Amino acid sequence: MPQRRTKRSIAGIAAICITAAGALAACGGDDTSGSAKALTWYINPDSGGNDPNKKGQTHLAKVCTDQAKGAYTISTQVLPNSASDQRQQLLRRLAASDKGVDIMSIDPVNVAEYAEAGFLAEVPADKQEALKEDAVKPIVESAMWKDKMFAAPMWANTQLLWYRKSAAAEAGLDMSKPVTWDQLIEAAKKLDSSIGVQAKPYEGYTVWINALVESAGGHIIANEGAGADELQLGLDSAESKKAAAIIGEIARSGIGGPAMGSSDETASLDLFAGGGAFLVNWPYTWAALPEKGVDVKDIGFARYPQAVQGKESAPPLGGIELGVNAASANQAAAWDAIACITSQENQKTYMLGTGNPAARKAVYDDPEIKKEFPMASLIRESLDAGGPRPATQYYGDLSTALFKKFSPPDQVNEGTPAEAANFILEVLKGEALL
């Protein structure tokens, strides 16, 4: 039953918090908000670190503090590197009603879980329109839970297909037109080269699986928002079998690289930088390749591959939403600060400084953005067409169960999706352990 599941999850989180209390002082309420105007923003790591002189989230905190002219101040705390650890740390603090957290940078897939548990403050009605205005649709949808808005889009992310122009030409691919995974697989085999993908057992693998299923026209969850006992999965389907066929073929043919089962974004980028023909990865690839000694004159970019020829792909969707702790004593000031942080000007600054794409569409029309990011229009197009990961209060368990059953990738076959579906339901009903 959904209520039973939610309460059990929260109880588990609280138990972790109590156990860790000795080592994690803030877990019981490290209230850094001594003043009603002092805000603490927990940020995910970016290239700016915790240095206000760089152009990351800490810089935006300083910019908005200066613009507030005493109405509020924002200090930042950096969360762990991995998305899983970020989720865990925030859940511990939120479950403990830690008033030392005012604003949080949240992976879009975690909004539903936090909102369902009552950890997020709803966006004030008079702020919602401005935060939604001009933002790409999928990142706005990710800010919603059960028809209520619980977060503000800050930046959005998507993956592109990166390729070596010379390799694509040698393989006979016309990259001015959409290409399919099957075409890339045949080209990589012909060239005795590789396709960089993310398939180690982690969240990035779920991102790839979901993108393949969505691109084929399917969905991992058929009835988002349902409780554990009523949840209907779409994994036992032709679309998911197509996704499994692509993963299995890339792994068994060897074109996913010698260590595909342990490949993340960095490893797949290194495979491509080392001479690989193709790669699917986030837009930071463009800035990272020259740092690895790659001449980008031979590097091309295109929309995410189609799973089914003639059917538009649904590129992966990521990014960051900003949420306000329901236990915060400074909620009004926090939403004022978020309005500043997510302004068009500050999203442009953040994109130029970190390479993370803006959530507001107008930023992509800016001349400076177009000069720095020649693929800006493709990023915007891909964001609008993106296929979000499932919105569910059980996302953490679902994602872990999914990538476990799809691992190792060379064992993935047409029966894998159905096995994953059964395992996910057993986990959610308390009949199996992750």
Side-chain angles (χ1 to χ4, degrees), residues 274-297:
F278 308 105
L279 166 73
V280 285
N281 212 337
W282 308 101
Y284 77 86
T285 297
W286 185 245
L289 287 174
E291 295 175 359
K292 294 179 179 294
V294 177
D295 185 350
V296 296
K297 290 181 180 176

Side-chain angles (χ1 to χ4, degrees), residues 382-412:
S382 299
L383 289 170
D384 275 331
R389 284 163 283 168
T392 171
Q393 60 271 49
Y394 312 121
Y395 185 81
D397 287 348
L398 180 146
S399 176
T400 303
L402 182 68
F403 65 64
K404 277 192 170 186
K405 282 297 178 184
F406 271 74
S407 297
D410 62 358
Q411 299 298 310
V412 173

